[in-house]
């Protein structure tokens, strides 16, 4: 079905019409029973699956990737795969609510420092437990929230499905192709809000793909998709028919919409946001084998270079102990891993300018083949800690000490000096973490980040459909940092504080040889994975049509990484 709102270069009257159509759709959604909502999500999953091949090809073209590139796997995982797993997880939540059960029925609860209640969000099903063996994630609820409160409040807008929240504007991200559809889905299910989605111009060529993939939502009047520049976004944000704005992007764009150059807000409606920041990669000193140094160096290269470094959650600053005897060996391994990563175009607008700015700010930076920079910074509020470069720039900060004293110093430094609160990564030998014991867990609790990944990348939290994703709570319009609110969160948890992801320090088989119960080899999202594209494509097909018969081929591909 083609609508007036599917065309590019819309004028104000066409935008007005699109919003009017969505008002009718909002009323229709309020009258839609939970069972029918679940069926709609299932139909949408089928159409996303049908468009997956074209989706990936279009995203690759937008990023200048050759169709034969080993990096195409990134577009599968962060495109149709991410949307399919979310649709499946949201559908499962709707089925639970429709049967009169809490979405948390059967979920494992735990405790974190401060008496916080935690909810297991990965694995979300039996398939996760096998395909991501060794990885787990827990959502930490805010202090004082009880298990009983968590159970009765899980469901958010679907607990009162007839109460519609009007028409929202979703300002889509321009770096990861699943973000805009995921934001639309969360608005619809978590908040009973239909959406007009304005694409970021970098993804304008995906308009026909999104239109086809999300056709069931469009046909029901729950979604309209438009393109255009900042003027279109500004017109929609301040339109009287829009009840809420959600943006994934930069703090500067957020402030432009909210304040428009003034000191007081001019946006007369709520806004939620996911805005990135400067993500630390905290390295705990310990005794690392040569294999550990190489593997974790590839891990760091992935955190920085995935999607070319154009990720809100890209690791930007390594935080090391100045007294770690293996510091130099690790930095050499990181430089080698950065150099060995597959080349790719500097495709995101402004990348060259940001790279030149980093080079000017740090003339002694090490230039890495492939247009990458390794920067030795200091633990102060200088550019590397206060600027999200959104480019392949990796900083290095050294702090003195070892053990708990070092970790406590790091927590204080990153909380105080690093821009944003979206995500932090911690790498450490399991024996080191065990020795720290309760002190380690207390340090994690003091880190003010929305997602914390321990021996994993926070990107795993982003791709876990049931995991809440967003900044640490407490930001305000005039100090927005990494944003306000959460997305994804397929269990529809209320009162979320953060997500904590845990992974294996070593891949299989070394993980088992060293006492870690983890059967996953090098993950397919590593930039050094040789079979990442095939594995990601097979995982996407599995997400669309799960079957035990498909597992052997997926695992065989994964083990060729």
């Amino acid at each position: 079905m083609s609508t007036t709102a599917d065309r590019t270069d819309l004028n104000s009257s066409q935008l007005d019409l699109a919003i009017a159509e969505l008002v009718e759709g909002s009323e229709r959604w309020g009258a839609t029973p939970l069972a029918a909502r679940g069926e709609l999500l299932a139909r949408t999953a089928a159409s996303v699956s049908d468009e997956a091949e074209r989706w990936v090809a279009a995203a690759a073209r937008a990023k200048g990737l050759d169709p034969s590139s080993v990096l195409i796997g990134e577009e599968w995982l962060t495109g149709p795969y991410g949307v399919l797993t979310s649709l499946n997880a949201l559908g499962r939540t709707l089925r639970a609510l429709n049967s009169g059960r809490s979405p948390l029925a059967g979920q494992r609860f735990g405790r974190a420092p401060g008496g916080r209640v935690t909810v297991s969000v990965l694995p979300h099903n039996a398939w996760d437990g096998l395909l991501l063996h060794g990885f787990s994630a827990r959502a930490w609820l805010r202090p004082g929230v009880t298990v009983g409160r968590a159970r009765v409040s899980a469901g958010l807008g679907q607990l009162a499905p007839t109460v519609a929240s009007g028409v929202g504007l979703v300002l889509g991200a321009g770096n990861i192709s699943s973000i805009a559809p995921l934001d639309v889905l969360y608005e619809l299910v978590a908040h009973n809000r239909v959406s007009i989605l304005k694409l970021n111009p970098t993804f304008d060529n995906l308009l026909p793909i999104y239109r086809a993939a999300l056709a069931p939502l469009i046909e029901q009047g729950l979604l309209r998709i438009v393109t255009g520049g900042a003027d279109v976004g500004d017109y929609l944000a301040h339109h009287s028919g829009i009840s809420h704005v959600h943006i994934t992007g930069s703090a500067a764009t957020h402030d432009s919409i909210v304040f428009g150059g003034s000191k007081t807000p001019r946006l007369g409606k709520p806004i939620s946001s996911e805005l990135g920041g400067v993500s630390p990669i905290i390295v705990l000193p310990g005794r690392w084998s040569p294999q550990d140094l190489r593997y974790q160096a590839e891990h760091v290269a992935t955190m920085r270079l995935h999607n070319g470094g154009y990720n809100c959650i890209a690791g930007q600053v390594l935080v090391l102990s100045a007294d770690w005897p293996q510091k130099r060996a690790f930095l050499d391994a990181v430089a080698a891993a950065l150099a060995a990563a597959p080349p790719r175009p500097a495709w995101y607008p402004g990348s060259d300018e940001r790279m030149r700015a980093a080079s000017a700010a740090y003339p002694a930076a090490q230039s890495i083949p492939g247009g990458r920079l390794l920067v030795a910074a200091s633990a102060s509020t200088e550019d590397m800690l206060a600027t999200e470069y959104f480019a392949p720039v990796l900083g290095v900060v050294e702090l003195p000490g070892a053990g708990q004293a070092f970790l406590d110093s790091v927590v204080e430094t990153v909380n105080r000096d690093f821009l944003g609160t979206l995500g932090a990564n911690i790498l450490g030998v399991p024996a080191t973490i065990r020795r720290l014991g309760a002190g380690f867990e207390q340090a994690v609790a003091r880190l003010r980040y929305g997602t914390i990944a321990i021996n994993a990348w926070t990107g795993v939290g982003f791709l876990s459909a049931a995991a809440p994703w967003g900044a640490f709570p407490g930001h305000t319009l005039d100090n927005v940092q990494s944003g306000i609110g959460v997305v994804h969160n397929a269990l529809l948890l209320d009162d979320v504080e953060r997500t904590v992801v845990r992974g294996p320090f070593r891949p299989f088989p070394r993980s088992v040889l060293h006492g870690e119960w983890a059967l996953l080899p090098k993950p397919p999202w590593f930039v050094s994975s040789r079979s990442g594209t095939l594995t990601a494509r097979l995982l996407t097909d599995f997400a669309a049509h799960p079957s035990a018969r498909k597992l052997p081929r997926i695992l065989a591909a994964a083990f060729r990484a």
Side-chain angles (χ1 to χ4, degrees), residues 308 310 345-357 371 389-392:
Y310 311 118
W347 66 272
Y348 200 84
S351 177
D352 291 340
E353 291 83 353
R354 290 188 294 275
M355 290 295 288
R356 283 193 290 270
Y389 275 107
F390 218 66

Side-chain angles (χ1 to χ4, degrees), residues 162-187:
T162 60
V163 180
S165 296
V167 180
L169 167 64
V170 171
L171 295 170
N175 60 330
I176 293 292
S177 65
S178 64
I179 292 179
L182 290 173
D183 290 348
V184 164
L185 288 170
Y186 194 69
E187 286 288 291

